[in-house]
C-alpha cells in the first residue's frame, strides 16, 4: 500500500521525492539555477505548464524551504523566485537524476 502525501515515510528516498515530485518541479528548479526569475519569465520558459500548476509548484517548493519568494513593493506587483541555500543542496541530486535520465533515454532509443 502506498504512503499518502500527508503521511511521513521513514524512507529517505520517499522524503526526497515528496519534495521534488511533480511533473514540473525539476524543470522549475533547473531554470532557477541560472538565477532569480519572475513568475511570468518562468511561465514563458516552460510553455507547456499551466499558470495554475506553476503557482502550485512554486507554493509547494517555497513551503518546503527550497525556493524563496521575493515581492517588491509598488504597482504593478513584482514577484520573483530564487533557490534558497538549502534548495541548492539539491543540485547534486538533480545532476544525478539528469545523468540517469539521459542514460535511460539512450537505452530506450536503442531498443
Amino acid at each position: 500500500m502506498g504512503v499518502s502525501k500527508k503521511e511521513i515515510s521513514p524512507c529517505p528516498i520517499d522524503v526526497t521525492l515528496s519534495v521534488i515530485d511533480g511533473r514540473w518541479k525539476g524543470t522549475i528548479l533547473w531554470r532557477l539555477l541560472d538565477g532569480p526569475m519572475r513568475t511570468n519569465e518562468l511561465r514563458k520558459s516552460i510553455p507547456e505548464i499551466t499558470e495554475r500548476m506553476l503557482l502550485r509548484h512554486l507554493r509547494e517548493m517555497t513551503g518546503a524551504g527550497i525556493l524563496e519568494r521575493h515581492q517588491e513593493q509598488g504597482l504593478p506587483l513584482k514577484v520573483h523566485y530564487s533557490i534558497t541555500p538549502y534548495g541548492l543542496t539539491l543540485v547534486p541530486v538533480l545532476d544525478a537524476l539528469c545523468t540517469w535520465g539521459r542514460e535511460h533515454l539512450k537505452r530506450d532509443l536503442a531498443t
Side-chain angles (χ1 to χ4, degrees), residues 16 18 32 50 78:
T16 303
S18 74
L32 290 173
T50 64
K78 294 182 181 179

Side-chain angles (χ1 to χ4, degrees), residues 14 16 24 40 42 53 57 75 78 89-90 93 106:
D14 288 345
T16 303
W24 302 106
N40 198 36
L42 273 168
M53 187 56 66
H57 284 330
L75 294 173
K78 294 182 181 179
T89 64
L90 279 169
V93 175
K106 286 181 195 174

Side-chain angles (χ1 to χ4, degrees), residues 6-30:
K6 294 187 184 207
E7 293 177 37
I8 296 175
S9 168
C11 175
I13 293 172
D14 288 345
V15 171
T16 303
L17 292 176
S18 74
V19 173
I20 62 171
D21 76 338
R23 170 66 181 93
W24 302 106
K25 286 183 181 177
T27 304
I28 292 166
L29 287 169
W30 209 254

Side-chain angles (χ1 to χ4, degrees), residues 59-101:
R59 193 171 24 256
E60 288 175 2
M61 289 190 288
T62 299
I66 304 303
L67 300 181
E68 287 181 320
R69 182 182 189 270
H70 307 273
Q71 181 175 319
E72 297 177 22
Q73 296 301 321
L75 294 173
L77 185 65
K78 294 182 181 179
V79 176
H80 67 272
Y81 290 86
S82 62
I83 300 178
T84 64
Y86 178 61
L88 289 173
T89 64
L90 279 169
V91 171
V93 175
L94 296 174
D95 284 339
L97 287 169
C98 189
T99 299
W100 189 89

